[in-house]
Amino acid sequence: ALAVLRCCGAGWVDPDTPRKARSATSLRSRHAHDIVYSDEFNVDGRTFNDGHDPRWTAVDKNDYTNMALHFYKASHVTTSGGALNITTAYEPTSFMSAEDKKGFVEMVKRTKPYASGMVQGWGKFCFTGGIMEVRARLPGKGKVGGMWPAMWLLGSLARATYVGSTDWVWPWSFDKCDRSLQPKQEINACEPNPHYGLAPNTGRGAPEIDLLEAM
């Protein structure tokens, strides 16, 4: 189950979310927050292929990051028993990979031994602050490594595993002009005449906020 709470407003609240879970108090500011988004995943058989679901997309692509051994498949993300289930299995998958060969892009056939799933909310729902709560059961045994389950947030300027989209905007964002850091953030506060109709002297990035990563 997933819930997002903010100080005000309304949104996509799952009717199956219990009333007692529709508000929370910040441990830091002590401000009350009301829920604006939740998904209990109580409907069995939901599919998350591109365009199937208004809230989530399960990607169907290679994971180029972190020397991953898996290929993401939308079919590995399902709902049953009141939960969103992501399955990792030995399932050799071949695909064509666009790779840099001395300055030229070359299509190379690759095979990954495992298949897994990643579900994203990119381009569907954004929030700028508040409280996020997730209830999840992690895979595997606590003393056995090799898996990397995670729940995390990424600024909407980038999209996870689409590595080109994160260039010079990830993993953090700052909004002050610092010449030593300027080359590391494409949209920075040192630029008085930015491109793309952006506000002058305003920095933007795609920060990553990890709720949980287990290895």
Side-chain angles (χ1 to χ4, degrees):
L2 181 144
V4 176
L5 303 100
R6 292 189 61 185
C7 294
C8 55
W12 297 353
V13 179
D14 190 328
D16 289 333
T17 299
R19 289 291 173 183
K20 64 180 181 180
R22 297 192 179 197
S23 62
T25 300
S26 169
L27 296 176
R28 182 176 181 180
S29 69
R30 309 307 301 175
H31 290 161
H33 290 64
D34 294 324
I35 197 167
V36 296
Y37 181 101
S38 64
D39 199 334
E40 304 297 331
F41 303 108
N42 281 345
V43 177
D44 289 353
R46 285 169 64 182
T47 57
F48 300 95
N49 302 67
D50 194 12
H52 283 206
D53 193 88
R55 296 167 179 254
W56 307 102
T57 299
V59 297
D60 210 310
K61 65 182 293 292
N62 179 38
D63 184 356
Y64 292 94
T65 64
N66 302 309
M67 301 179 68
L69 298 176
H70 58 263
F71 187 95
Y72 284 130
K73 292 186 176 182
S75 59
H76 281 240
V77 182
T78 59
T79 56
S80 62
L84 174 76
N85 301 297
I86 298 177
T87 301
T88 300
Y90 179 73
E91 189 177 310
T93 302
S94 297
F95 57 95
M96 298 304 295
S97 174
E99 301 183 4
D100 186 350
K101 300 292 184 179
K102 297 182 179 180
F104 296 91
V105 175
E106 181 178 329
M107 301 304 295
V108 179
K109 186 176 182 180
R110 299 290 186 190
T111 299
K112 292 284 187 75
Y114 298 96
S116 189
M118 171 185 274
V119 63
Q120 302 180 353
W122 183 83
K124 295 180 180 286
F125 183 83
C126 297
F127 74 104
T128 57
I131 301 172
M132 175 167 283
E133 298 177 343
V134 179
R135 183 176 66 248
R137 179 179 295 174
L138 303 183
K141 298 180 180 180
K143 295 182 179 180
V144 179
M147 294 187 177
W148 198 347
M151 289 153 278
W152 48 290
L153 311 177
L154 182 66
S156 60
L157 288 181
R159 187 175 183 183
T161 77
Y162 290 78
V163 291
S165 71
T166 61
D167 289 347
W168 313 118
V169 294
W170 169 88
W172 36 260
S173 178
F174 62 94
D175 195 28
K176 294 182 179 180
C177 180
D178 185 328
R179 294 296 183 182
S180 65
L181 296 176
Q182 182 179 358
K184 298 181 180 181
Q185 183 168 301
E186 179 69 22
I187 306 172
N188 58 77
C190 297
E191 180 55 68
N193 300 299
H195 297 288
Y196 319 117
L198 298 174
N201 302 112
T202 301
R204 290 186 65 192
E208 177 182 333
I209 302 175
D210 297 328
L211 303 178
L212 183 147
E213 288 196 21
M215 299 179 69

